[in-house]
Amino acid sequence: MIQRIQTVFLFLLVLAVISMLFLPLWSKTDAATGETVVLTAWELKSKVLNADGEATAAGNIPSKGTIAIGLLAIAAAVIALVEIFQFRSRLNQMKLGLLNTLILAALFGTSFYYAAYVGAEMIEGNDNGSYEAGFYMPMLALLLNALANRFIKRDEDLVRSVDRLR
């Protein structure tokens, strides 16, 4: 039963959330000073970029920890891995899928909060910054989790219909 399509979706969910830990989520540059604030899963830090876009020095703005994003991402990945190996109990898989939906929604909300409110206040500028690839990973993970939950429910419905025939 581990070779089902929902296992593929859950594995892709794990990859998406783990990649979020290593990708930048959001960045904003101050045009006057050239200082850039970058949000990652672990911290919100500033740095000064040269003309090539390489960091030349640490910025003047003190870093802030965003460990909640990293912990929520790790929790979502662990729950998805546990869900993969619960294939003998589809009801447990569905419960874990619901829990993972809540954690992924909290992950997306936390990422948005740090980008839109905390990070935007750290640096001057008229724009809202740019959302990087890591920011979209929780949305992809939510989609993959919904697909996995759909196929788990489909399997459970199939088993129940076969039980009615006996």
Side-chain angles (χ1 to χ4, degrees), residues 11-28:
F11 183 70
L12 290 174
L13 182 151
V14 170
L15 290 178
V17 174
I18 294 296
S19 69
M20 182 184 172
L21 296 174
F22 301 104
L23 294 172
L25 305 177
W26 175 84
S27 64
K28 183 177 179 181

Side-chain angles (χ1 to χ4, degrees), residues 72 76 98-112 138 142:
L72 285 170
L98 177 62
L99 176 64
N100 215 1
T101 300
L102 295 174
I103 288 179
L104 288 168
L107 175 62
F108 180 69
T110 305
S111 300
F112 183 75
L142 275 169

